[in-house]
Amino acid sequence: QTQGTIFPAPNFNPIMDAQLLGGALQGISCEKDVLIDILTQRCNSQRLMIAEAYRDMYGRDLIADLKENLSHHFKEVMVGLMYPPASYDAHELWHALKGVDTEENCLIDILASRSNMEIFQMKEAYLMQYNTDLQQDIDSETSGHFRDTLMNLAQGTRMEGYADPSTAAQDAMILWEACQRKTGEHKNMLQMILCNRSHQQLWIVFQEFQNISGQDIVDAINECYDGYFQELLVAIVLCIRDKPSYFAYRLHKAIH
């Protein structure tokens, strides 16, 4: 399993970190280097412990103080570091759905890449933070087959750890026909397979698709569909194949 590159800091002292953050935030000019040195060198669970120590020490919320003293993208990064993963996903989805314009790429990046458990935790956090249901908001703020695919992913019902090679060729043929005919029914079958089959099963299906069509499934999707529906389908395939590579691609695209 691929892990992140931020590891728990050795000799961790949340009280000392909270004190240093308090000094950096309460000075005449905010000492941004101190914030960076601490918050980017602690793992998520340690940052949450720092926030608790900060509240005990100063009687204030660390996220609120970061928002008050920082601005622009730097504020977004520092505040984002202070959320637990599920809460941050919920936060991003809420703003993607409820902002002035729907941020479809944010919806794609999160929902195409999360496991069943991560989706369950994300939906719980979304309900707790915003007192509304994630799937209801997706239903009301998006449309068409893009919406249907997001709704399917948001159910978090993908099969896990199971592969049936005997049905892989049949699934691959359905995907091939969906890329050729492009009717509403075929689009539904396409997203149902990509959203519900296990990763292990889809690895075999993608190989069978190559055998049947002589074409990689990503290339076929790109040729046959367009818009956010196409981008979502491709993201699902890429995340199933290699999630770190998908986010490396997204980072490169964002930077360049």
Side-chain angles (χ1 to χ4, degrees):
Q1 184 179 358
T2 304
Q3 298 292 334
T5 53
I6 297 178
F7 299 99
N11 305 315
F12 172 61
N13 186 331
I15 296 174
M16 182 179 296
D17 284 347
Q19 189 172 9
L20 290 170
L21 290 175
L25 288 168
Q26 304 308 318
I28 296 174
S29 61
C30 180
E31 299 176 40
K32 296 179 180 178
D33 287 344
V34 175
L35 304 183
I36 295 170
D37 288 343
I38 294 175
L39 296 182
T40 66
Q41 298 300 315
R42 308 291 185 268
C43 68
N44 187 261
S45 61
Q46 289 178 334
R47 291 194 294 269
L48 298 180
M49 292 170 66
I50 293 169
E52 185 176 349
Y54 188 94
R55 188 180 297 108
D56 292 342
M57 188 177 298
Y58 297 105
R60 294 192 304 273
D61 181 67
L62 177 55
I63 289 180
D65 281 0
L66 290 169
K67 289 180 178 179
E68 182 179 334
N69 287 277
L70 306 177
S71 60
H72 306 301
H73 294 306
F74 183 65
K75 177 177 73 173
E76 292 180 31
V77 174
M78 291 295 105
V79 170
L81 287 168
M82 298 311 303
Y83 284 93
S87 294
Y88 186 69
D89 279 348
H91 171 267
E92 290 296 288
L93 289 171
W94 167 263
H95 287 280
L97 289 165
K98 297 297 185 178
V100 177
D101 297 311
T102 303
E103 297 178 24
E104 287 85 358
N105 287 119
C106 178
L107 303 178
I108 292 169
D109 284 345
I110 293 176
L111 290 170
S113 65
R114 303 304 194 252
S115 67
N116 288 346
M117 179 57 70
E118 287 169 334
I119 288 171
F120 173 78
Q121 293 170 342
M122 172 200 314
K123 289 195 293 186
E124 291 285 297
Y126 194 95
L127 181 62
M128 183 176 296
Q129 289 166 214
Y130 304 108
N131 197 33
T132 184
D133 180 75
L134 173 61
Q135 288 172 273
Q136 288 180 1
D137 285 350
I138 292 172
D139 187 45
S140 64
E141 301 294 337
T142 59
S143 61
H145 291 283
F146 177 65
R147 175 194 61 201
D148 296 341
T149 309
L150 291 174
M151 291 284 285
N152 200 332
L153 291 169
Q155 291 177 17
T157 54
R158 182 183 297 281
M159 297 182 70
E160 296 180 333
Y162 174 78
D164 182 4
S166 66
T167 64
Q170 181 182 349
D171 282 347
M173 183 60 72
I174 293 171
L175 294 180
W176 174 239
E177 289 178 356
C179 288
Q180 298 305 301
R181 300 185 184 180
K182 296 182 282 188
T183 67
E185 182 180 354
H186 283 92
K187 289 179 182 177
N188 287 336
M189 291 300 296
L190 175 62
Q191 61 97 355
M192 286 291 289
I193 289 173
L194 292 181
C195 293
N196 292 288
R197 300 291 190 268
S198 71
H199 286 200
Q200 293 87 339
Q201 176 76 4
L202 287 171
W203 269 89
I204 305 172
V205 171
F206 296 158
Q207 184 57 57
E208 289 291 344
F209 185 95
Q210 179 87 38
N211 296 338
I212 291 168
S213 66
Q215 189 178 28
D216 184 78
I217 188 168
V218 170
D219 294 332
I221 292 171
N222 284 332
E223 281 185 14
C224 299
Y225 295 103
D226 57 19
Y228 291 117
F229 179 59
Q230 169 257 326
E231 292 185 35
L232 177 55
L233 297 178
V234 168
I236 294 169
V237 173
L238 295 179
C239 286
I240 287 167
R241 283 179 167 166
D242 189 343
K243 193 187 301 184
S245 290
Y246 172 74
F247 282 108
Y249 156 73
R250 291 291 291 139
L251 284 168
H252 184 268
K253 187 174 180 181
I255 292 166
H256 293 282

